[in-house]
Amino acid sequence: MNRTLVIVVTFNGRKWMDGCLGSLRRSARKADVLVVDNASTDGTAEYVREHFPECRLLACQDNLGFGQANNLGLESAVREGYEFVYLLNQDARVTEETIGRLEDACRPGYGILSPIQKGASGRLDANFQDKCGALIQKGGELVKVPFVMAAHWFIPTSVVRKVGGFSPAFRMYGEDDNYIDRLHRLGLDCHVLKTAEGIHDREGRKDTKERKMRLKCTGALRRLMDPRRCWAFALAKMPAELLATGIKNLSLIPLSYISSLWSRRRELRALREESLKEGAFLKLQESRSSSGKS
């Protein structure tokens, strides 16, 4: 068994498999690979099974979503005793040196490590540039950042045991923000390793106005679920924030979020409390009993 388990969640991602899984096959530092397929209808699971037999495949009967599918992989990594997990998007790929350099750079106390994230053209990924570009201009090969996209997340399993998995409160978008909020609550940080590179192949894809608006609205849910914030204050402020977002952007989408979040408030409060627990949202009892940990 290698030190790292790479987890690739797929959904109708056949066109990216040669790039993503092929890059892992060519990696100088070998890692084990688990593909969790979210009930793809384009033959992704069959393609992986035929063309990448070295990868383990978990073919789900239903689309669990990004967060919950990754949780299945995180549970496997902890139970099976891996030292690290690498969450890799289906439309992302590594260089030959990425995994080895991340493994060598990781030290006790680190939370999430990411390589420099570039687009297929070789330029910095647009979101990575927006979130991390100014910070990585600083000296040193390892730079602390407040947030980094989950297309390339390298995490010690010791951190996974503490933080847990992705919260089911997030059905689409925001699960990575919430994970980092919970990471920071425990005094752990995100870092970018400037000597490692990874590709996120999404250049040329255009965001729809609806998706951009839903991303804005997800901010209200993120604030509700952040365990460092006052629940009552965030809940009371949420309707006004979303209403203002709708007026500013001439959109009715925020109004549906007000209704949805308010109707889910008890469920969300319970999930926020659950997120405070060690190993939240993961079934790790088996690994703890076998390892003697409480």
Side-chain angles (χ1 to χ4, degrees), residues 219-237:
L221 177 57
R222 176 190 174 183
R223 286 184 284 276
L224 278 177
M225 299 306 295
D226 186 344
R228 301 168 300 173
R229 293 176 179 264
C230 172
W231 165 265
F233 181 74
L235 183 64
K237 192 176 179 183

Side-chain angles (χ1 to χ4, degrees), residues 220-221 224 238 242 257-265 268:
L221 177 57
L224 278 177
M238 176 268 296
L242 287 171
Y257 267 77
I258 295 173
S259 174
S260 173
L261 295 184
W262 187 259
S263 66
R264 295 177 63 201
R265 63 190 183 280
L268 295 175

Side-chain angles (χ1 to χ4, degrees), residues 72-145:
L72 295 178
L74 294 173
E75 289 171 359
S76 294
V78 174
R79 286 178 175 172
E80 295 167 22
Y82 284 92
E83 192 173 349
F84 308 106
V85 293
Y86 194 155
L87 306 189
L88 184 68
N89 268 25
Q90 64 179 4
D91 58 354
R93 56 186 185 267
V94 298
T95 72
E96 292 184 3
E97 304 301 327
T98 305
I99 293 174
R101 288 178 178 172
L102 289 167
E103 285 186 353
D104 292 344
C106 196
R107 298 288 185 272
Y110 288 177
I112 295 171
L113 270 68
S114 168
I116 296 282
Q117 296 187 25
K118 294 185 174 182
S121 67
R123 297 188 297 268
L124 286 183
D125 173 84
N127 283 2
F128 185 86
Q129 172 69 57
D130 181 54
K131 300 291 186 181
C132 306
L135 294 170
I136 63 173
Q137 300 304 316
K138 298 179 180 180
E141 68 173 29
L142 199 65
V143 178
K144 186 166 74 172
V145 295

Side-chain angles (χ1 to χ4, degrees), residues 47-264:
Y47 191 82
V48 171
R49 189 177 289 114
E50 179 180 355
H51 294 277
F52 296 94
E54 71 273 21
C55 298
R56 293 160 53 190
L57 174 66
L58 176 57
C60 301
Q61 297 302 307
D62 301 299
N63 187 347
L64 304 179
F66 177 82
Q68 300 314 295
N70 265 303
N71 284 357
L72 295 178
L74 294 173
E75 289 171 359
S76 294
V78 174
R79 286 178 175 172
E80 295 167 22
Y82 284 92
E83 192 173 349
F84 308 106
V85 293
Y86 194 155
L87 306 189
L88 184 68
N89 268 25
Q90 64 179 4
D91 58 354
R93 56 186 185 267
V94 298
T95 72
E96 292 184 3
E97 304 301 327
T98 305
I99 293 174
R101 288 178 178 172
L102 289 167
E103 285 186 353
D104 292 344
C106 196
R107 298 288 185 272
Y110 288 177
I112 295 171
L113 270 68
S114 168
I116 296 282
Q117 296 187 25
K118 294 185 174 182
S121 67
R123 297 188 297 268
L124 286 183
D125 173 84
N127 283 2
F128 185 86
Q129 172 69 57
D130 181 54
K131 300 291 186 181
C132 306
L135 294 170
I136 63 173
Q137 300 304 316
K138 298 179 180 180
E141 68 173 29
L142 199 65
V143 178
K144 186 166 74 172
V145 295
F147 176 84
V148 67
M149 292 67 64
H152 290 268
W153 272 11
F154 186 84
I155 316 173
T157 51
S158 59
V159 170
V160 175
R161 291 189 188 96
K162 293 177 182 177
V163 181
F166 291 100
S167 171
F170 296 83
R171 296 171 179 171
M172 186 176 293
Y173 313 129
E175 56 271 275
D176 51 351
D177 296 271
N178 175 253
Y179 198 93
I180 289 177
D181 287 340
R182 291 156 50 207
L183 184 89
H184 287 159
R185 173 184 166 271
L186 295 174
L188 298 166
D189 294 306
C190 304
H191 291 83
V192 171
L193 180 65
K194 292 163 61 175
T195 57
E197 293 185 0
I199 304 300
H200 192 187
D201 189 5
R202 59 179 177 177
E203 290 177 332
R205 273 184 264 169
K206 294 182 179 179
D207 261 349
T208 64
K209 181 179 179 181
E210 179 181 352
R211 183 178 180 276
K212 289 180 179 178
M213 184 54 53
R214 293 192 182 280
L215 285 171
K216 289 179 182 292
C217 294
T218 299
L221 177 57
R222 176 190 174 183
R223 286 184 284 276
L224 278 177
M225 299 306 295
D226 186 344
R228 301 168 300 173
R229 293 176 179 264
C230 172
W231 165 265
F233 181 74
L235 183 64
K237 192 176 179 183
M238 176 268 296
E241 287 183 341
L242 287 171
L243 182 60
T245 298
I247 293 172
K248 180 180 179 181
N249 295 277
L250 301 177
S251 173
L252 296 176
I253 291 176
L255 298 182
S256 67
Y257 267 77
I258 295 173
S259 174
S260 173
L261 295 184
W262 187 259
S263 66
R264 295 177 63 201

